[in-house]
Amino acid sequence: MACVVFDAKRCDAGAGRTRLKLVGENFPAVSNDIKMETLSFAVEADGLTRIYKRGGEEVRALDGVSFRVRDGEFVSIVGASGSGKTTLLNLLGCMDAADRGTLRLAGHEVGAINERARTRLRRDHIGFVFQHFGLMPTLTVHENVALPGLFGRRIWPSRHQKSLDARADELLERVSLAHRRNHRPHELSGGEMQRVAIARSLLNTPRLLLADEPTGDLDSATGESIIELLQELNRDGLTILVVTHNTALAAIAEHQISLRDGRLIQDSTDQML
Amino acid sequence: MILLALRNLWRRPLRHVLALIGIAVSVATLACLGAFGQGYRDALQSELNGMGMQMMLVPLGCPYDAAARVLRGKTLEFSLPQSALLTARRDPAVSLAAPMLMAVVPQVHEGRTDVWVGIDQSTRQMKPWWKVETGAPWFTGKNEVILGAEAAELEMRRPGDLFYSPETHRTLRVAGILQRSGTADDSLFFVPLTTAQAMFHQTDRITAIAVQLHDPQQTGAASTRLQTIAGAQVVTLSEMMGTFLNLVGAVKTLLFSLAIVALTIGALGVFNTLLSIVVERRSELAMMRALGASGPQIFALLTLESAILTLGGGVCGLIMSAFVGRALASVARQWVPLSPNEVLFKLTPNVAANCFLIGLGVGVLAGVVPAWQASRLPPALALNAD
Amino acid sequence: MKFRFALGGCVVLLAVGALLFSTLGTPPDVYQPAIARRAVGAPLCPWRQPKADMQAFFPTATRFETRVAILSSMLGSLRARLGRWPAPEENPIYVHYVFAGPRLLGRVAVQRVRGQFGAIEVVIGVNESGQVRGVHLQRLREPAAISRALLSQPWLSSLCGKTSRDAFRLGADVPQITPGARTSARAVLKGVRSSLILLEAARELDATNHR
């Protein structure tokens, strides 16, 4: 089978698995049953519809949204409050299921796999960055970064612990926070916390990074540094989808998706809808 | 995962320490009761063994009826002939056979009962714990009485005093007064066997014979042989012990029901703590789900937290019971029927392990529902909370 | 947080209470007579026939109340009056107050004394002037002849009107009795005198408290 069209750096044809170069080749692949297919599209959404019931009334949070995201793209999703951004992010993160339409992530038809497989897909191929960082207050910076690795194995420490630690250290180095390794989240600034969150999202070598307002809780200077980091990660081949109100962040995205009242009103790769 | 669970527990130390104390007290209660039961059983066994007696020969029929007949001065239908004593003593397995004649005289106006016991030297050999507080250790004449400590206090008697039995019109001299033993002996009037037989018109009759064997292994065979004595039935030591333990059993049931209440309170503490954890850390748990934790992994994390809590509580409870148990046992000794002299509190590894496992099981079980609730949290909450 | 702390405290208290109750509260339901309790003196003596004694001592009496008199503050004075230190069973003592409606008629005390052949329990009724209203031997273990002598109404009635300040010499202040019964009779007289002194002390204590 052919390698990824748009990102030759990510190709590891011998193993039949994709991997980010930026995080090094030493880290062993997290086990999963889902075999990656080498596709040119990281996300393929077709007619996604999500309907909520509120007090007996149907609310269409998403209404027939279709778009495609190529591997290695930087995508911004914009829209006013209530336009369906978070609902779309929930669907893209395999945290919710669409009522109608199809969604393919990393070559997998999300609607066709069960909850367990969705959890594995989320764990192994999707990274999350939250507006409020979502760091565990009881864990150190290093432990927070290594946290997703904990869910890939059983309760007892395995022989992967050392490589997991090394991987977390490598990522902290990558986000320039190695010196904060043993600090607790409350000892960090907002920007530092978001960098830790980004490092954490990269632990399992995701194919897709979903960020929900990553600069929302930061001042403009710190926000810019986060934008730069995201750009850097994207340059290294990571597909990034950012939900944002930040015009600067939306502007740097090569692909912009606009939502209004649950409908896609603009997809910069297509003509105006 | 363990580190994460420990760090989470440390986040709210006061709450978790209180839940831990609840479990600790429950386990300590269980352990105290278990250790006390074990100690009592062992001590009773040891005491009965110490009596050097393996079985008793008693008359067929109801002992209360026999007592009523003694009161009316009638010959006992339900007593043993003295010849039974001779037969028992002739048995090759028997090393000692001690007779006793018991006569019960209710003092209706006083709300108490005088119990006269006729004994001979062989009975004394079977009561090695007998110690005389004052006076002579044994009868020096026919018309003498040895009083239990409580009986002597009530009758205000001292060695050498006279003691009158209005029912049998007999005046006796107090030979000695026994040390308080905490047993039925404290309230008894002991007289020589022949004197008792004469006082209650029971010539050549006895109420029971305590039998000591050369070899306790021969209990079965000797029991079968002695059972052939006309009008006699054999009660072995284990049967007697069963009866004593049954007496304690009712009290133990009550105590165990209280222990269950304590355990329930402890379990509710764990339940409440875990439920608070789930409510408080809702978004955090959802965030972990978003990061790739599966439902079973969240369940395992919460269950691990409750297990650590109950594990700590169990260990503390056992330590607590080791300190408190002995003191409580010494206090409880005064309230326990037929209290043996040996240590009543035996926290054996078996008892400790059982109590610990029960505490752990109940604690973990109490954490199941909150853990299940946590495992069902939708990961989408992580974004919604944002 | 406060609520949780209180809740946690309640749980701990309940659990500790359950532990103590479960271990200490073993009901002594079997072998009642054999239960051993350390006591320095003889067991306290109960009033066995209160109704009959009350009618005999105070015919108009309608009820009685039992109170405990702690005489520890009067030990010196009691020693002087009794001629010895009070025995453990004499302090505190049970004093039975006898009433006709709301009016206090007198007091009753019960004392166990050392008879020649066993303990004798003496019940004594005293009016508010401190005079004996009646004496009853509620329990004795003496041979029949001695019992008859001790229980004879003329001999017991001779004690009526006596106070704690009176002498109780047998054959001088109190009528003589048959020779075989004299030892026990002296014990009874000693008991009556002690009870009178103790009741008087209890009355003084009441008066002090009342003031």
Side-chain angles (χ1 to χ4, degrees):
Chain A
M1 192 177 282
C3 287
V4 175
V5 174
F6 293 95
D7 192 356
K9 286 182 287 184
R10 292 159 50 88
C11 180
D12 185 358
R17 288 166 181 264
T18 55
R19 186 159 302 173
L20 280 175
K21 284 282 185 191
L22 76 97
V23 294
E25 291 293 344
N26 298 333
F27 184 66
V30 178
S31 67
N32 66 79
D33 302 335
I34 303 159
K35 286 185 178 170
M36 288 292 294
E37 292 174 26
T38 48
L39 294 170
S40 52
F41 292 106
V43 180
E44 290 174 273
D46 186 15
L48 285 182
T49 301
R50 183 74 176 100
I51 301 166
Y52 295 112
K53 282 193 176 168
R54 279 185 198 146
E57 198 181 323
E58 282 193 352
V59 177
R60 284 180 176 260
L62 275 185
D63 191 3
V65 173
S66 305
F67 64 91
R68 286 177 173 190
V69 176
R70 288 173 308 189
D71 270 321
E73 259 192 327
F74 196 122
V75 184
S76 67
I77 302 171
V78 292
S81 292
S83 59
K85 301 191 297 292
T86 303
T87 306
L88 181 61
L89 212 57
N90 278 337
L91 296 180
L92 294 175
C94 299
M95 296 190 286
D96 197 5
D99 293 306
R100 277 198 289 277
T102 56
L103 176 66
R104 286 178 74 84
L105 281 175
H108 284 269
E109 172 74 54
V110 176
I113 57 176
N114 63 15
E115 169 62 31
R116 213 172 142 192
R118 273 211 301 270
T119 300
R120 278 204 301 273
L121 183 65
R122 186 166 65 237
R123 184 184 68 209
D124 297 340
H125 302 297
I126 301 170
F128 281 96
V129 176
F130 304 100
Q131 181 180 352
H132 300 305
F133 326 123
L135 299 179
M136 298 284 289
T138 51
L139 301 182
T140 63
V141 163
H142 177 267
E143 287 161 351
N144 262 295
V145 173
L147 185 64
L150 195 71
F151 306 131
R153 51 189 172 79
R154 299 193 181 280
I155 293 171
W156 302 108
S158 71
R159 60 196 166 83
H160 294 308
Q161 184 64 47
K162 273 189 181 171
S163 40
L164 189 66
D165 286 346
R167 167 91 173 129
D169 282 335
E170 192 181 356
L171 287 168
L172 281 175
E173 193 76 50
R174 177 73 186 81
V175 297
S176 312
L177 281 176
H179 62 292
R180 295 288 211 173
R181 186 183 192 278
N182 296 319
H183 285 78
R184 295 289 166 94
H186 65 86
E187 295 167 328
L188 305 181
S189 68
E192 285 174 327
M193 280 200 266
Q194 195 59 294
R195 281 169 179 275
V196 174
I198 291 170
R200 181 181 63 185
S201 71
L202 299 174
L203 188 94
N204 284 336
T205 324
R207 185 166 175 181
L208 179 66
L209 182 71
L210 300 178
D212 184 25
E213 297 281 6
T215 58
D217 269 13
L218 305 175
D219 58 64
S220 54
T222 317
E224 272 174 30
S225 73
I226 293 297
I227 292 169
E228 278 172 26
L229 179 61
L230 291 174
Q231 275 183 302
E232 210 176 305
L233 293 171
N234 178 245
R235 273 198 297 276
D236 288 335
L238 181 64
T239 311
I240 298 176
L241 260 96
V242 183
V243 167
T244 185
H245 285 108
N246 186 328
T247 47
L249 181 56
I252 61 153
E254 58 197 276
H255 180 177
Q256 290 180 354
I257 293 170
S258 299
L259 296 174
R260 186 191 295 159
D261 298 331
R263 290 168 186 272
L264 194 141
I265 55 164
Q266 189 186 23
D267 185 339
S268 62
T269 57
D270 300 331
Q271 60 184 1
M272 193 80 139
L273 295 170
Chain B
M1 192 76 98
I2 293 169
L3 181 76
L4 185 63
L6 278 172
R7 294 269 177 84
N8 286 337
L9 288 174
W10 190 244
R11 202 188 292 187
R12 297 259 188 207
L14 180 65
R15 183 205 293 162
H16 295 131
V17 163
L18 286 176
L20 188 140
I21 289 172
I23 285 286
V25 171
S26 313
V27 170
T29 311
L30 267 183
C32 282
L33 286 173
F36 188 75
Q38 182 77 39
Y40 186 76
R41 182 187 295 269
D42 289 356
L44 199 61
Q45 179 84 59
S46 161
E47 189 132 306
L48 289 175
N49 288 342
M51 288 165 75
M53 177 177 76
Q54 280 78 38
M55 58 181 74
M56 275 193 99
L57 272 174
V58 293
L60 291 169
C62 172
Y64 299 106
D65 186 67
R69 285 182 162 272
V70 167
L71 280 178
R72 288 186 221 119
K74 290 182 181 175
T75 310
L76 281 176
E77 272 178 28
F78 302 116
S79 68
L80 295 167
Q82 196 130 5
S83 59
L85 178 65
L86 298 174
T87 312
R89 281 178 174 164
R90 273 200 296 269
D91 191 282
V94 174
S95 71
L96 194 66
M100 66 179 82
L101 176 73
M102 294 186 78
V104 181
V105 183
Q107 303 291 347
V108 180
H109 292 306
E110 297 175 37
R112 62 187 290 273
T113 303
D114 288 349
V115 184
W116 294 81
V117 186
I119 51 173
D120 74 1
Q121 279 282 3
S122 55
T123 311
R124 194 182 160 213
Q125 289 172 36
M126 285 225 177
K127 287 180 179 280
W129 68 91
W130 255 32
K131 286 194 180 76
V132 173
E133 180 86 43
T134 51
W138 193 248
F139 309 107
T140 51
K142 220 172 86 177
N143 287 325
E144 286 192 331
V145 61
I146 291 177
L147 297 175
E150 199 176 297
E153 264 177 12
L154 201 72
E155 297 296 346
M156 302 181 90
R157 296 298 89 185
R158 296 179 202 141
D161 282 354
L162 295 177
F163 188 62
Y164 186 68
S165 162
E167 297 80 13
T168 61
H169 312 294
R170 190 173 283 256
T171 303
L172 304 155
R173 199 182 66 82
V174 178
I177 292 164
L178 296 178
Q179 257 184 20
R180 190 179 290 272
S181 66
T183 67
D185 287 357
D186 285 351
S187 56
L188 301 184
F189 308 149
F190 294 97
V191 288
L193 180 65
T194 48
T195 307
Q197 285 172 332
M199 279 171 76
F200 297 100
H201 313 291
Q202 298 296 318
T203 314
D204 290 337
R205 306 295 297 186
I206 44 183
T207 313
I209 303 167
V211 176
Q212 186 186 69
L213 302 176
H214 292 293
D215 178 6
Q217 300 283 331
Q218 297 173 322
T219 305
S223 169
T224 313
R225 282 196 299 275
L226 294 175
Q227 197 79 56
T228 59
I229 296 173
Q233 57 184 339
V234 176
V235 184
T236 62
L237 199 71
S238 52
E239 286 168 341
M240 280 157 62
M241 189 163 152
T243 309
F244 290 137
L245 290 176
N246 279 345
L247 289 171
V248 181
V251 179
K252 258 178 94 176
T253 309
L254 174 74
L255 297 185
F256 268 109
S257 60
L258 286 169
I260 287 167
V261 170
L263 207 59
T264 310
I265 292 168
L268 284 175
V270 173
F271 181 78
N272 176 48
T273 305
L274 267 281
L275 213 57
S276 311
I277 286 173
V278 174
V279 172
E280 260 179 27
R281 292 179 11 212
R282 224 173 127 78
S283 61
E284 194 177 296
L285 291 166
M287 188 270 297
M288 286 165 79
R289 290 277 282 126
L291 291 178
S294 62
Q297 279 173 329
I298 296 291
F299 182 86
L301 177 69
L302 270 287
T303 307
L304 197 63
E305 286 183 25
S306 64
I308 290 170
L309 210 58
T310 44
L311 209 75
V315 171
C316 291
L318 288 180
I319 294 168
M320 200 190 290
S321 68
F323 279 105
V324 178
R326 276 172 204 284
L328 289 181
S330 64
V331 176
R333 179 186 287 280
Q334 297 175 31
W335 276 270
V336 175
L338 202 83
S339 164
N341 288 324
E342 288 189 28
V343 178
L344 287 186
F345 184 84
K346 270 192 183 167
L347 189 60
T348 60
N350 200 20
V351 170
N354 281 341
C355 297
F356 184 76
L357 288 177
I358 289 172
L360 189 67
V362 169
V364 170
L365 220 62
V368 163
V369 172
W372 185 79
Q373 278 186 351
S375 73
R376 305 275 294 170
L377 283 175
L381 266 180
L383 282 178
N384 295 347
D386 256 21
Chain C
M1 178 56 102
K2 272 183 185 172
F3 173 71
R4 278 188 195 139
F5 186 78
L7 189 73
C10 288
V11 168
V12 172
L13 281 177
L14 271 172
V16 170
L19 172 72
L20 290 176
F21 179 72
S22 64
T23 321
L24 298 178
T26 314
D29 53 350
V30 279
Y31 294 126
Q32 184 74 28
I35 290 162
R37 290 206 172 89
R38 281 276 165 220
V40 180
L44 283 172
C45 194
W47 190 9
R48 301 188 191 280
Q49 297 154 298
K51 209 169 172 184
D53 289 343
M54 205 165 62
Q55 289 304 316
F57 301 158
F58 307 100
T60 57
T62 52
R63 65 187 178 93
F64 76 99
E65 273 178 29
T66 303
R67 293 175 204 162
V68 178
I70 301 167
L71 307 174
S72 304
S73 60
M74 312 173 79
L75 285 182
S77 131
L78 279 175
R79 189 193 176 192
R81 283 190 256 180
L82 288 168
R84 58 177 169 83
W85 285 108
E89 63 269 21
E90 289 175 330
N91 177 37
I93 59 160
Y94 285 110
V95 179
H96 310 284
Y97 293 76
V98 180
F99 296 89
R103 194 164 63 89
L104 178 64
L105 296 177
R107 293 148 213 252
V108 171
V110 186
Q111 194 162 35
R112 186 182 281 121
V113 297
R114 241 170 77 80
Q116 191 179 359
F117 293 90
I120 299 173
E121 290 175 3
V122 184
V123 185
I124 175 171
V126 177
N127 64 15
E128 277 307 274
S129 318
Q131 290 175 317
V132 174
R133 290 281 304 175
V135 176
H136 173 221
L137 307 184
Q138 66 174 4
R139 185 259 197 201
L140 68 170
R141 190 185 269 281
E142 305 297 304
I146 300 176
S147 291
R148 265 198 307 277
L150 292 175
L151 293 169
S152 76
Q153 211 46 48
W155 191 74
L156 286 175
S157 300
S158 69
L159 299 170
C160 289
K162 295 258 182 210
T163 68
S164 64
R165 285 167 197 81
D166 290 330
F168 284 85
R169 283 169 301 173
L170 190 63
D173 309 305
V174 179
Q176 190 52 281
I177 202 163
T178 51
R182 283 177 194 164
T183 308
S184 294
R186 284 194 194 95
V188 170
L189 293 180
K190 257 168 88 176
V192 169
R193 184 172 173 271
S194 306
S195 293
L196 279 170
I197 291 169
L198 293 169
L199 284 173
E200 191 179 57
R203 198 171 60 231
E204 286 166 16
L205 197 72
D206 284 347
T208 313
N209 292 341
H210 193 66
R211 272 203 299 274

